[in-house]
């Protein structure tokens, strides 16, 4: 284990460690699958000797994953995967109580964010664990000498390295894992462009991840974030959900559960049709913009709420994003239409006044609101997501030499085992196919 010393961490306040530890323990109680993996990792040490650099939202659940990897023998450095998602008390607990070098401060600016990514790279990882692919893309830009694609301070560090050092930074890595939809899209684009230089397991693609984390986790925690930020009643309001993917459908159903009239916007006819049949109104954003009280984007796309939509919005509209990057809402367009700077009317609520006098409220600077103003997904769903992370890391440690430079799905056996363990932990039993049923389901000879 690497001892956390003052020089190898950067957090807000070490004195918050005890509170962070209590909240970690609270989350751990809801993570029985990860707990079982941790017990096995303690004995078997499948990650022994591996340096792992993780770039994840620094939450109570992530902290439990980090401790699991450490118990599995990994030498970890953790950095934030979003400037607003860090829980400072948890970062303190990781440093103070588990001696895990952690680089994350809630509200850090872009330069600090990338200074922290640099710390994760300086760890010379054998394995990367990303949420949004910032770590991996930085690594590739450095190796390719594409310094203009990097944040300036990261670029100047990269320039100071010798060619050999830059190369080894990459050749050291045996493989990685990726947590979220947006990261997987970026990695698949890297694979298509033939710049992906090591295998990566797309944890997001496991059924025990996106069916639960993206749907129920994002659904509940996004509503939680919007309510904590605004304390505005949802019942009876028009709530616009942009994107009816895994996150969007979770959010739409939870917003309906709060009594809102939910309207979905989509670009994919199949998803739009599903939303219609699930009982939601579907219309273009241009129309929804005129009637929405709340807006939330969950698309992974850019400028989904754009200047012309702000032009149409009602006075008092509340606009949030729960997709990975802060590009879904075109905030610069709103800035141009507004008089002066926004007023911070409540924590995480920036109120813009348009030149025609309307107030438009942007939550959490357009960053994922469930992590900015709330605590991210509840531990019970992260139990499955992070069981996938831990088991995928173990799989990568054992099989990296047999894998190609591609994006891989989580092996089906791992996915099914996690579902089985979760059901067992919840005390839910299911039927088992009889021999007759097994035979029937695999034959074509029996019919009417
Ligand atoms: N907030 C969180 O904690 C959290 C958790 C998981 C995933 N995410 C992120 O949320 C985003 C969505 O993830 P997902 O798993 O639901 O992805 P998904 O691919 O299942 O769904 C995205 C949907 O958005 C639609 N879309 C794309 N552009 C659009 C546009 N201009 N207008 C309307 N709809 C549009 C797509 O057709 C698709 O149906 C990603 O960025 C992902 O990384 C966030």
């Amino acid at each position: 284990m690497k001892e956390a010393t003052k020089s190898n961490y950067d957090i807000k306040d070490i004195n918050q460690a005890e509170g962070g530890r209590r909240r970690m323990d609270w989350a751990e109680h809801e993570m029985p699958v990860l707990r079982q993996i941790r017990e096995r990792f303690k004995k078997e040490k499948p990650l022994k000797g591996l340096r792992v650099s993780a770039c994840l939202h620094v939450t109570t659940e992530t902290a439990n994953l980090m401790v699991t990897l450490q118990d599995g023998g990994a030498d970890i450095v953790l950095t934030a995967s979003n400037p607003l998602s860090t829980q400072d008390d948890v970062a303190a607990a990781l440093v103070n109580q588990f001696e895990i070098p952690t680089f994350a401060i809630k509200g850090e600016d872009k330069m600090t964010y990338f200074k922290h990514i640099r710390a994760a790279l300086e760890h010379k990882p054998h394995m990367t664990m990303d949420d949004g692919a910032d770590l991996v893309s930085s690594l590739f830009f450095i190796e390719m000498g594409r310094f203009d694609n990097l944040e300036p301070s990261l670029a100047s560090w990269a320039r100071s390295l010798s060619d050999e050092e830059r190369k080894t930074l990459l050749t050291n890595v045996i493989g990685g894992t990726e947590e979220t939809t947006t990261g997987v899209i970026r990695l698949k684009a890297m694979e298509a462009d033939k710049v992906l230089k090591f295998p990566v397991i797309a944890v997001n693609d496991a059924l025990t991840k996106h069916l639960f984390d993206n749907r129920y986790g994002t659904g509940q925690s996004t509503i939680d974030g919007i309510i904590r930020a605004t304390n505005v009643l949802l019942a009876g309001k028009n709530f616009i959900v942009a994107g009816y993917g895994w996150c969007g459908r979770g959010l739409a159903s939870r917003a309906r559960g709060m009594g809102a009239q939910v309207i979905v916007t989509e670009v994919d006819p199949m998803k739009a049709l599903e939303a219609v049949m699930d009982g939601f109104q579907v219309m273009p954003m241009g129309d929804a913009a005129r009637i929405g009280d709340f807006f939330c984007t969950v698309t992974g796309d850019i400028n989904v709420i754009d200047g012309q939509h702000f032009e149409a919005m009602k006075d008092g509209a509340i606009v949030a994003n729960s997709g990975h990057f802060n590009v879904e809402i075109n905030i610069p367009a709103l800035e141009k239409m507004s008089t002066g700077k926004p007023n911070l009317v409540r924590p995480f609520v920036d109120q813009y006044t348009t030149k025609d006098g309307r107030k438009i409220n942007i939550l959490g600077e357009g960053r994922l609101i469930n992590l900015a103003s709330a605590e991210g997904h509840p531990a019970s769903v992260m139990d499955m997501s992070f069981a996938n992370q831990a088991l995928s890391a173990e799989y990568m440690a054992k099989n990296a030499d047999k894998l190609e430079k591609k994006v891989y799905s989580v092996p089906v056996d791992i996915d099914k085992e996690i579902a089985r363990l979760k059901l067992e932990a919840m005390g839910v039993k299911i039927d088992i196919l009889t021999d007759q049923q097994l035979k029937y389901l695999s034959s074509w000879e029996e019919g009417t």
Side-chain angles (χ1 to χ4, degrees):
M1 191 199 311
K2 175 179 267 186
E3 195 189 339
T5 63
K6 255 208 165 314
S7 62
N8 69 359
Y9 65 83
D10 189 19
I11 59 172
K12 186 169 180 209
D13 179 8
I14 195 90
N15 297 315
Q16 295 182 10
E18 258 181 50
R21 175 62 192 268
R22 276 196 298 275
R23 293 199 316 106
M24 270 178 72
D25 292 347
W26 175 259
E28 192 198 17
H29 179 73
E30 286 280 297
M31 304 180 87
V33 180
L34 191 66
R35 257 197 331 264
Q36 278 196 42
I37 295 170
R38 185 177 170 192
E39 287 314 309
R40 182 171 66 75
F41 273 21
K42 273 184 193 164
K43 289 185 213 120
E44 297 176 8
K45 305 277 178 211
L47 306 176
K48 193 162 189 281
L50 280 182
R51 288 192 299 271
V52 176
S53 290
C55 178
L56 300 170
H57 301 300
V58 180
T59 64
T60 51
E61 296 80 16
T62 300
N64 280 299
L65 171 64
M66 292 300 105
V67 172
T68 303
L69 301 179
Q70 189 178 59
D71 281 342
D75 172 6
I76 309 160
V77 162
L78 173 65
T79 175
S81 59
N82 186 289
L84 267 190
S85 62
T86 297
Q87 298 172 4
D88 290 316
D89 56 345
V90 171
L94 282 170
V95 171
N96 178 268
Q97 314 230 340
F98 297 96
E99 301 191 338
I100 294 180
T102 302
F103 296 81
I105 300 171
K106 190 174 179 99
E108 63 197 18
D109 59 20
K110 201 170 172 185
M111 202 177 94
T112 311
Y113 178 79
F114 281 100
K115 190 179 89 186
H116 291 164
I117 296 261
R118 169 182 160 178
L121 294 175
E122 281 177 327
H123 186 47
K124 302 192 176 87
H126 300 116
M127 204 182 282
T128 59
M129 196 170 269
D130 246 325
D131 187 331
D134 274 349
L135 196 55
V136 170
S137 59
S138 301
L139 193 58
F140 292 157
F141 285 137
I142 290 172
E143 196 266 343
M144 287 187 276
R146 284 176 56 179
F147 304 127
D148 290 347
N149 291 89
L150 296 167
E151 188 276 334
S153 68
L154 190 59
S156 76
W157 171 69
R159 280 195 182 92
S160 75
L161 300 174
S162 68
D163 288 350
E164 188 56 30
E165 283 170 324
R166 281 200 293 272
K167 209 167 145 229
T168 5
L169 208 51
L170 191 84
T171 50
N172 273 338
V173 182
I174 61 162
T177 62
E178 169 55 53
E179 173 74 8
T180 197
T181 317
T182 285
V184 173
I185 290 171
R186 292 177 87 190
L187 288 162
K188 287 188 174 159
M190 289 176 200
E191 183 188 324
D193 285 352
K194 304 209 176 342
V195 296
L196 188 67
K197 302 279 173 59
F198 49 75
V200 182
I201 299 183
V203 166
N204 185 71
D205 290 357
L207 295 177
T208 46
K209 200 281 186 181
H210 66 264
L211 288 184
F212 304 92
D213 168 317
N214 300 30
R215 182 163 39 169
Y216 305 113
T218 311
Q220 175 169 317
S221 60
T222 300
I223 295 286
D224 184 19
I226 292 172
I227 293 176
R228 286 200 210 189
T230 63
N231 198 25
V232 169
L233 188 75
L234 266 67
K237 303 279 171 52
N238 288 336
F239 192 107
I240 318 299
V241 176
Y244 202 65
W246 291 109
C247 294
R249 68 190 61 192
L251 175 59
S253 80
R254 266 70 198 152
R256 175 156 67 187
M258 299 294 288
Q261 286 148 22
V262 179
I263 296 164
V264 169
T265 72
E266 251 297 343
V267 291
D268 178 338
M270 203 65 77
K271 301 278 177 62
L273 187 59
E274 252 188 300
V276 172
M277 298 254 178
D278 284 344
F280 298 108
Q281 273 193 77
V282 175
M283 61 180 76
M285 183 58 85
D287 295 338
R290 285 187 278 109
I291 53 177
D293 299 297
F294 292 90
F295 295 81
C296 188
T297 50
V298 258
T299 68
D301 198 358
I302 191 167
N303 293 343
V304 176
I305 296 184
D306 214 339
Q308 76 268 25
H309 304 129
F310 286 122
E311 292 287 1
M313 278 182 198
K314 295 196 284 192
D315 180 35
I318 291 171
V319 185
N321 165 52
S322 211
H324 187 77
F325 286 120
N326 62 338
V327 296
E328 303 209 14
I329 305 170
N330 189 348
I331 297 178
L334 178 61
E335 278 165 1
K336 278 194 199 132
M337 295 163 45
S338 302
T339 56
K341 290 209 173 311
N343 285 328
L344 187 69
V345 288
R346 292 167 58 92
F348 305 106
V349 184
D350 282 322
Q351 188 168 77
Y352 290 78
T353 305
T354 58
K355 288 174 187 153
D356 59 8
R358 290 168 300 129
K359 312 267 191 221
I360 292 178
N361 302 293
I362 300 286
L363 306 190
E365 301 166 18
R367 299 192 186 278
L368 7 82
I369 194 60
N370 62 330
L371 282 141
S373 61
E375 294 170 62
H377 295 170
S380 181
V381 287
M382 293 317 292
D383 187 24
M384 289 184 282
S385 306
F386 285 166
N388 273 294
Q389 282 284 10
L391 296 182
S392 295
E394 178 183 32
Y395 180 84
M396 187 59 83
K398 288 187 180 149
N399 296 291
D401 53 346
K402 299 181 209 92
L403 301 177
E404 293 175 56
K405 294 161 185 173
K406 285 185 172 168
V407 180
Y408 285 87
S409 297
V410 173
V412 175
D413 291 351
I414 291 183
D415 212 354
K416 281 201 171 160
E417 178 63 2
I418 291 171
R420 195 189 64 73
L421 289 173
K422 189 71 178 174
L423 280 174
E424 193 179 280
M426 294 167 93
V428 177
K429 293 193 171 65
I430 60 170
D431 288 320
I432 297 171
L433 288 171
T434 63
D435 288 344
Q436 185 199 21
Q437 288 168 338
L438 266 173
K439 190 165 166 247
Y440 177 80
L441 290 173
S442 57
S443 84
W444 56 271
E445 286 151 325
E446 284 186 58
T448 42

